Amino acid sequence: MDIKVIGHYTGRFGELWEQSLTDLIKEGVQGVLADAQIDQSEIEAIFVANKAGGSFNEQRHLGALVSEQFTHFPPAMRVEGACASGGLAVAAASQALMSGLYKTVLVLGVEKMTDVNTGEASAILATAASREKEYGSTFPSLYALLANYHMVRYGTTREQLSSVVVKNHRHALTNPKAQFRKEFTIEQVNQSPLVASPLRLLDCSPISDGVAAVILSSKPSSRRTQILGFGQGQDTLALMDRQDLSQLRASTNAMQQALSRAHIKLTDIQAAEVHDCFSIAEILATEDLGFFPKGEAAAAIESGKTTIGGKVIINPSGGLKACGHPVGATGVKQVAFLSKLIEAGQFDCAAAHNVGGSGATAVVTILGEKRS
Ligand code: COA
């Protein structure tokens, strides 16, 4: 079945104190309907990606909150998979279309994280880690463990971590929706305040508010972007239960499934939005998805092989690092952003990679123009 992205919208990401959770939802619904140029009555079902509205905003009933923006109250559900909620919602919506039950559905991802302070936000985010085995850890410290392991095993350097950050902040300069449109040097990243050794403030994705939405349809459409394939991988919640800390196995499995369903080769993918919640996460993703062999991505990123003109462009939006990471919105934004670039003719085929926790859930969505 052909599933097309017939509308996409991304709001500005950042500290949006002047907008409530409901304001963000309204903006996302209106923006995506305007882009799709369809009447709201054509939306048959709604999938809402949100990690923690109950904790950030004391609002857990997100499906109903989005449905009530429509006069015909389409059936709506919230999809939650930590920071992978957005990718999961796109996958769930695609499955609903493939079942034939619906022909046109809305996927909306939203998170409003800045109504609480950084300590509270870190504690809320950490509920996606293993409460039994990692209690007290925050995500910067869990990814710091992965970074230390990668540095010891493969010789990954401080400068190479920083080169991820420098590249993604440079990419974000051309993205008007990005939270940080500001360049940094390797030195500035190296000297930013330490959060969890070796990760520094500028290695981390920020705490953000934001909304993104796509409308998917199995009806014939002149829009260019199609969901060619998707895949989902799972792993243990706790890092201590993993056999190998050099790889997020869920990402590898998700990519292999997505490639097989899309009937394409990895080399067909020209660009990818990958889940760089921390600089080390982009290095891991670039290897785990197969773009570079294990232990070689850091040098490849440092030498410019993942920016414009390189082998594969990683995080053209600026990634989570510079574009921002309103967790439930991120996976939907990746799909919306790549759809826009594909429609603009910048790429024929691209992949979105969205991770929950420290790799317990991963989703890959491959987008492009279908080849006959
Ligand atoms: N990247 C770039 N700049 C950042 C930034 C980031 N991630 N986070 C904050 N800043 C900037 C702010 O704009 C501010 O700049 P200013 O002084 O010019 O206004 C400055 O750095 C200090 O910001 P502040 O809000 O005080 O930072 P903080 O100490 O409250 O939070 C982190 C910084 C890194 C601890 C926080 O962003 C964080 O926890 N990030 C990780 C989020 C996470 O775990 N997500 C889930 C991933 S699985």
Side-chain angles (χ1 to χ4, degrees):
M1 176 185 288
D2 289 352
I3 299 175
K4 286 210 159 169
V5 182
I6 66 161
H8 51 78
Y9 179 81
T10 305
R12 190 168 62 87
F13 283 7
E15 294 186 33
L16 308 178
W17 290 331
E18 71 287 1
Q19 281 178 287
S20 69
L21 181 69
T22 308
D23 292 337
L24 290 174
I25 288 171
K26 283 190 172 126
E27 180 192 339
V29 169
Q30 285 165 11
V32 77
L33 284 172
D35 183 69
Q37 295 188 311
I38 61 169
D39 188 75
Q40 60 148 284
S41 60
E42 289 192 50
I43 300 296
E44 296 169 275
I46 299 169
F47 297 82
V48 186
N50 175 262
K51 172 178 156 46
S55 306
F56 286 124
N57 322 106
E58 297 184 358
Q59 179 52 261
R60 280 183 215 280
H61 205 165
L62 271 287
L65 193 54
V66 181
S67 183
E68 72 173 17
Q69 308 306 320
F70 293 76
T71 50
H72 63 299
F73 295 96
M77 68 176 77
R78 170 177 159 220
V79 181
E80 192 279 318
C83 301
S85 300
L88 284 181
V90 171
S94 302
Q95 290 166 46
L97 293 172
M98 288 162 78
S99 79
L101 189 59
Y102 306 118
K103 292 205 178 324
T104 302
V105 301
L106 166 69
V107 185
L108 183 141
V110 66
E111 206 82 52
K112 178 145 183 61
M113 304 168 72
T114 67
D115 287 351
V116 300
N117 65 39
T118 302
E120 289 168 321
S122 304
I124 293 167
L125 289 167
T127 60
S130 167
R131 304 307 280 165
E132 279 174 13
K133 296 176 180 166
E134 293 171 340
Y135 196 82
S137 295
T138 59
F139 277 107
S141 64
L142 293 173
Y143 275 89
L145 281 174
L146 295 173
N148 279 314
Y149 187 82
H150 210 275
M151 290 169 108
V152 169
R153 180 149 175 193
Y154 298 112
T156 303
T157 64
R158 174 62 258 174
E159 278 63 30
Q160 288 171 335
L161 292 174
S162 298
S163 70
V164 173
V165 177
V166 169
K167 168 184 72 69
N168 288 350
H169 274 276
R170 198 175 58 241
H171 285 180
L173 290 177
T174 56
N175 179 0
K177 303 300 173 66
Q179 182 162 352
F180 296 112
R181 296 178 72 192
K182 184 177 176 189
E183 280 202 89
F184 288 103
T185 62
I186 298 277
E187 270 310 294
Q188 284 172 310
V189 185
N190 289 352
Q191 285 168 15
S192 60
L194 198 58
V195 176
S197 180
L199 299 180
R200 295 175 174 273
L201 185 138
L202 289 174
D203 287 296
C204 305
S205 58
I207 290 166
S208 319
D209 307 324
V211 66
V214 291
I215 296 177
L216 306 182
S217 181
S218 56
K219 291 181 184 171
S221 162
S222 58
R223 299 294 285 255
R224 187 172 183 226
T225 313
Q226 194 160 321
I227 295 192
L228 299 177
F230 57 88
Q232 180 178 342
Q234 301 288 152
D235 207 338
T236 64
L237 265 185
L239 290 181
M240 67 176 284
D241 291 332
R242 308 254 173 102
Q243 284 176 355
D244 181 5
L245 288 186
S246 69
Q247 179 193 19
L248 299 190
R249 202 170 38 179
S251 297
T252 307
N253 291 340
M255 178 56 110
Q256 283 169 359
Q257 272 179 31
L259 286 172
S260 135
R261 289 182 181 146
H263 303 292
I264 63 161
K265 303 184 297 298
L266 185 72
T267 48
D268 293 326
I269 296 174
Q270 299 157 317
E273 284 289 312
V274 310
H275 198 96
D276 60 325
C277 48
F278 300 96
S279 51
I280 184 61
E282 176 165 319
I283 293 172
L284 286 169
T286 309
E287 294 172 351
D288 297 340
L289 298 175
F291 293 118
F292 292 94
K294 254 304 143 202
E296 294 182 20
I301 295 166
E302 193 176 30
S303 64
K305 293 200 173 89
T306 62
T307 189
I308 292 80
K311 176 184 164 187
V312 56
I313 302 179
I314 301 286
N315 281 325
S317 75
L320 286 54
K321 173 72 263 288
C323 188
H325 183 28
V327 285
T330 285
V332 183
K333 169 228 120 183
Q334 293 177 324
V335 171
F337 185 83
L338 291 173
S339 299
K340 190 173 166 192
L341 296 190
I342 290 166
E343 278 181 349
Q346 291 195 31
F347 306 112
D348 297 324
C349 183
H353 163 252
N354 194 199
V355 173
S358 44
T361 300
V363 184
V364 171
T365 312
I366 298 179
L367 300 147
E369 195 170 32
K370 193 172 184 182
R371 297 157 190 206
S372 45

